[in-house]
mmCIF file with all atom_site columns, all heavy atoms in Angstrom:
data_model
loop_
_atom_site.group_PDB
_atom_site.id
_atom_site.type_symbol
_atom_site.label_atom_id
_atom_site.label_alt_id
_atom_site.label_comp_id
_atom_site.label_asym_id
_atom_site.label_entity_id
_atom_site.label_seq_id
_atom_site.pdbx_PDB_ins_code
_atom_site.Cartn_x
_atom_site.Cartn_y
_atom_site.Cartn_z
_atom_site.occupancy
_atom_site.B_iso_or_equiv
_atom_site.pdbx_formal_charge
_atom_site.auth_seq_id
_atom_site.auth_comp_id
_atom_site.auth_asym_id
_atom_site.auth_atom_id
_atom_site.pdbx_PDB_model_num
ATOM 1  N N   . THR A 1 505 ? 33.603 0.463   -29.057 1.00 46.00 ? 767 THR A N   1
ATOM 2  C CA  . THR A 1 505 ? 33.750 -0.589  -28.026 1.00 46.00 ? 767 THR A CA  1
ATOM 3  C C   . THR A 1 505 ? 33.192 -1.923  -28.523 1.00 46.00 ? 767 THR A C   1
ATOM 4  O O   . THR A 1 505 ? 33.863 -2.933  -28.413 1.00 46.00 ? 767 THR A O   1
ATOM 5  C CB  . THR A 1 505 ? 32.997 -0.138  -26.767 1.00 46.00 ? 767 THR A CB  1
ATOM 6  O OG1 . THR A 1 505 ? 33.523 1.102   -26.330 1.00 46.00 ? 767 THR A OG1 1
ATOM 7  C CG2 . THR A 1 505 ? 33.178 -1.178  -25.659 1.00 46.00 ? 767 THR A CG2 1
ATOM 8  N N   . HIS A 1 507 ? 32.736 -2.868  -31.523 1.00 51.00 ? 769 HIS A N   1
ATOM 9  C CA  . HIS A 1 507 ? 33.549 -3.380  -32.646 1.00 51.00 ? 769 HIS A CA  1
ATOM 10 C C   . HIS A 1 507 ? 34.841 -4.006  -32.113 1.00 51.00 ? 769 HIS A C   1
ATOM 11 O O   . HIS A 1 507 ? 35.291 -5.061  -32.593 1.00 51.00 ? 769 HIS A O   1
ATOM 12 C CB  . HIS A 1 507 ? 33.869 -2.235  -33.608 1.00 51.00 ? 769 HIS A CB  1
ATOM 13 C CG  . HIS A 1 507 ? 34.793 -2.624  -34.712 1.00 51.00 ? 769 HIS A CG  1
ATOM 14 N ND1 . HIS A 1 507 ? 34.381 -3.409  -35.777 1.00 51.00 ? 769 HIS A ND1 1
ATOM 15 C CD2 . HIS A 1 507 ? 36.125 -2.371  -34.914 1.00 51.00 ? 769 HIS A CD2 1
ATOM 16 C CE1 . HIS A 1 507 ? 35.428 -3.611  -36.613 1.00 51.00 ? 769 HIS A CE1 1
ATOM 17 N NE2 . HIS A 1 507 ? 36.471 -2.986  -36.104 1.00 51.00 ? 769 HIS A NE2 1
ATOM 18 N N   . ALA A 1 508 ? 35.450 -3.373  -31.110 1.00 51.00 ? 770 ALA A N   1
ATOM 19 C CA  . ALA A 1 508 ? 36.692 -3.881  -30.562 1.00 51.00 ? 770 ALA A CA  1
ATOM 20 C C   . ALA A 1 508 ? 36.519 -5.229  -29.903 1.00 51.00 ? 770 ALA A C   1
ATOM 21 O O   . ALA A 1 508 ? 37.301 -6.165  -30.069 1.00 51.00 ? 770 ALA A O   1
ATOM 22 C CB  . ALA A 1 508 ? 37.269 -2.876  -29.548 1.00 51.00 ? 770 ALA A CB  1
ATOM 23 N N   . VAL A 1 509 ? 35.397 -5.385  -29.165 1.00 50.00 ? 771 VAL A N   1
ATOM 24 C CA  . VAL A 1 509 ? 35.137 -6.678  -28.493 1.00 50.00 ? 771 VAL A CA  1
ATOM 25 C C   . VAL A 1 509 ? 34.832 -7.713  -29.536 1.00 50.00 ? 771 VAL A C   1
ATOM 26 O O   . VAL A 1 509 ? 35.346 -8.860  -29.442 1.00 50.00 ? 771 VAL A O   1
ATOM 27 C CB  . VAL A 1 509 ? 33.941 -6.538  -27.532 1.00 50.00 ? 771 VAL A CB  1
ATOM 28 C CG1 . VAL A 1 509 ? 33.508 -7.891  -27.019 1.00 50.00 ? 771 VAL A CG1 1
ATOM 29 C CG2 . VAL A 1 509 ? 34.302 -5.623  -26.345 1.00 50.00 ? 771 VAL A CG2 1
ATOM 30 N N   . ARG A 1 510 ? 34.045 -7.399  -30.553 1.00 52.00 ? 772 ARG A N   1
ATOM 31 C CA  . ARG A 1 510 ? 33.748 -8.392  -31.606 1.00 52.00 ? 772 ARG A CA  1
ATOM 32 C C   . ARG A 1 510 ? 35.001 -8.801  -32.341 1.00 52.00 ? 772 ARG A C   1
ATOM 33 O O   . ARG A 1 510 ? 35.170 -9.972  -32.693 1.00 52.00 ? 772 ARG A O   1
ATOM 34 C CB  . ARG A 1 510 ? 32.707 -7.806  -32.581 1.00 52.00 ? 772 ARG A CB  1
ATOM 35 C CG  . ARG A 1 510 ? 31.317 -7.612  -31.974 1.00 52.00 ? 772 ARG A CG  1
ATOM 36 C CD  . ARG A 1 510 ? 30.274 -7.348  -33.009 1.00 52.00 ? 772 ARG A CD  1
ATOM 37 N NE  . ARG A 1 510 ? 30.554 -6.131  -33.803 1.00 52.00 ? 772 ARG A NE  1
ATOM 38 C CZ  . ARG A 1 510 ? 30.115 -4.939  -33.413 1.00 52.00 ? 772 ARG A CZ  1
ATOM 39 N NH1 . ARG A 1 510 ? 29.393 -4.791  -32.316 1.00 52.00 ? 772 ARG A NH1 1
ATOM 40 N NH2 . ARG A 1 510 ? 30.349 -3.878  -34.154 1.00 52.00 ? 772 ARG A NH2 1
ATOM 41 N N   . ARG A 1 511 ? 35.893 -7.859  -32.596 1.00 57.00 ? 773 ARG A N   1
ATOM 42 C CA  . ARG A 1 511 ? 37.108 -8.169  -33.334 1.00 57.00 ? 773 ARG A CA  1
ATOM 43 C C   . ARG A 1 511 ? 38.039 -9.026  -32.476 1.00 57.00 ? 773 ARG A C   1
ATOM 44 O O   . ARG A 1 511 ? 38.612 -10.017 -32.946 1.00 57.00 ? 773 ARG A O   1
ATOM 45 C CB  . ARG A 1 511 ? 37.824 -6.875  -33.748 1.00 57.00 ? 773 ARG A CB  1
ATOM 46 C CG  . ARG A 1 511 ? 39.109 -7.105  -34.559 1.00 57.00 ? 773 ARG A CG  1
ATOM 47 C CD  . ARG A 1 511 ? 39.687 -5.822  -35.065 1.00 57.00 ? 773 ARG A CD  1
ATOM 48 N NE  . ARG A 1 511 ? 40.941 -6.042  -35.766 1.00 57.00 ? 773 ARG A NE  1
ATOM 49 C CZ  . ARG A 1 511 ? 40.984 -6.421  -37.031 1.00 57.00 ? 773 ARG A CZ  1
ATOM 50 N NH1 . ARG A 1 511 ? 39.857 -6.627  -37.713 1.00 57.00 ? 773 ARG A NH1 1
ATOM 51 N NH2 . ARG A 1 511 ? 42.165 -6.629  -37.622 1.00 57.00 ? 773 ARG A NH2 1
ATOM 52 N N   . ALA A 1 512 ? 38.171 -8.672  -31.198 1.00 52.00 ? 774 ALA A N   1
ATOM 53 C CA  . ALA A 1 512 ? 39.068 -9.441  -30.280 1.00 52.00 ? 774 ALA A CA  1
ATOM 54 C C   . ALA A 1 512 ? 38.579 -10.867 -30.115 1.00 52.00 ? 774 ALA A C   1
ATOM 55 O O   . ALA A 1 512 ? 39.419 -11.780 -29.942 1.00 52.00 ? 774 ALA A O   1
ATOM 56 C CB  . ALA A 1 512 ? 39.159 -8.724  -28.939 1.00 52.00 ? 774 ALA A CB  1
ATOM 57 N N   . LEU A 1 513 ? 37.272 -11.091 -30.150 1.00 52.00 ? 775 LEU A N   1
ATOM 58 C CA  . LEU A 1 513 ? 36.725 -12.430 -29.884 1.00 52.00 ? 775 LEU A CA  1
ATOM 59 C C   . LEU A 1 513 ? 36.161 -13.062 -31.156 1.00 52.00 ? 775 LEU A C   1
ATOM 60 O O   . LEU A 1 513 ? 35.303 -13.958 -31.072 1.00 52.00 ? 775 LEU A O   1
ATOM 61 C CB  . LEU A 1 513 ? 35.643 -12.333 -28.828 1.00 52.00 ? 775 LEU A CB  1
ATOM 62 C CG  . LEU A 1 513 ? 36.109 -11.837 -27.438 1.00 52.00 ? 775 LEU A CG  1
ATOM 63 C CD1 . LEU A 1 513 ? 34.917 -11.630 -26.519 1.00 52.00 ? 775 LEU A CD1 1
ATOM 64 C CD2 . LEU A 1 513 ? 37.089 -12.848 -26.808 1.00 52.00 ? 775 LEU A CD2 1
#
Side-chain angles (χ1 to χ4, degrees):
T767 303
H769 176 73
V771 172
R772 292 193 297 273
R773 182 174 179 81
L775 298 172

